[in-house]
Amino acid sequence: MGYIYLMPNETTDEYTLDKSDIGLYYDVKSLSIPRIKWLGMGQSLNQMRLATKTYREAVDKTFHCEYWNDLNNEGYMMGIELSLNEDTLLTLVAHQAFKLYDIRWRSRDFRVLTLAAYLDVFNKNNVIYPLSKEKDAFVILSIDPSTKVGKIRALISARDDLYPIDYLLNPLFILANSSRYYGEISTM
């Protein structure tokens, strides 16, 4: 299981890359989340369906979550709980799936934080759910047609106060209990 913190909080303050087993696979000083300006991305987003219900209104009615995603009182997503095994995380990091885009969409400036491979994020069958009635933050979901399980593929936000750019660019990839690490320990 994995967890992605989308907002800074006290829990994330105790984590550092130096404490992560990801250092077994990568030089932690070389890890980064690139920031890219792509004003034309709005056309890709417009090919997806924009839900009329908010994420909170739709969850457990229109789709189900893998686990549970934490929302604050206003409906903004604080964190995502998901199936994220070691191999999947390492592949996503290796292919730099985590990117922050500056875009123009719906006549506003937004940031898009991708949390999956490009083709999984920008699939025209995905659905965009607003997180609040203000429509200043959204998530892109891929929904499995047979199980109705929705997986969050990206965060779209115009709320730099909730989702600070410096925080989103910080590659705090925490890999705990690495199978490689414990495999080496058990052979000693």
Side-chain angles (χ1 to χ4, degrees):
M1 183 192 308
Y3 196 88
I4 299 174
Y5 291 95
L6 296 172
M7 296 177 171
N9 63 60
E10 299 81 35
T11 305
T12 60
D13 290 344
E14 69 188 61
Y15 296 123
T16 66
L17 279 175
D18 294 331
K19 294 179 183 177
S20 174
D21 289 350
I22 203 156
L24 295 169
Y25 302 93
Y26 300 103
D27 173 9
V28 294
K29 291 176 181 53
S30 70
L31 294 175
S32 68
I33 297 175
R35 185 174 182 189
I36 303 162
K37 188 173 188 171
W38 183 15
L39 299 180
M41 182 187 286
Q43 294 171 344
S44 296
L45 297 178
N46 288 336
Q47 292 180 11
M48 296 178 215
R49 186 170 67 82
L50 180 60
T52 55
K53 292 181 179 180
T54 66
Y55 177 87
R56 178 176 273 159
E57 293 166 341
V59 71
D60 290 333
K61 295 174 186 78
T62 308
F63 62 88
H64 304 283
C65 300
E66 278 184 289
Y67 297 104
W68 192 251
N69 300 312
D70 296 322
L71 307 176
N72 69 12
N73 292 337
E74 292 84 36
Y76 294 100
M77 195 164 290
M78 301 181 314
I80 302 166
E81 207 171 21
L82 68 163
S83 292
L84 189 62
N85 63 35
E86 181 178 326
D87 290 337
T88 302
L89 175 63
L90 293 173
T91 300
L92 290 171
V93 171
H95 294 116
Q96 283 199 312
F98 302 100
K99 292 183 171 84
L100 185 66
Y101 293 93
D102 293 302
I103 71 161
R104 185 90 176 147
W105 181 55
R106 300 173 52 90
S107 303
R108 289 183 77 174
D109 292 328
F110 284 93
R111 252 93 19 243
V112 176
L113 177 67
T114 58
L115 305 170
Y118 179 88
L119 293 176
D120 292 330
V121 174
F122 298 105
N123 182 322
K124 67 179 180 177
N125 296 318
N126 288 350
V127 182
I128 300 173
Y129 280 91
L131 293 176
S132 72
K133 296 289 185 193
E134 286 75 26
K135 295 186 177 173
D136 53 7
F138 304 79
V139 287
I140 297 175
L141 262 72
S142 63
I143 302 173
D144 182 289
S146 59
T147 64
K148 298 294 185 206
V149 171
K151 293 184 180 181
I152 295 178
R153 301 302 188 180
L155 168 73
I156 305 168
S157 173
R159 295 290 306 267
D160 294 343
D161 58 324
L162 294 176
Y163 305 106
I165 292 170
D166 289 341
Y167 177 79
L168 296 177
L169 289 171
N170 183 15
L172 190 54
F173 303 123
I174 302 301
L175 179 62
N177 305 323
S178 168
S179 61
R180 179 177 156 200
Y181 177 77
Y182 283 101
E184 289 174 357
I185 294 295
S186 65
T187 60
M188 294 181 147

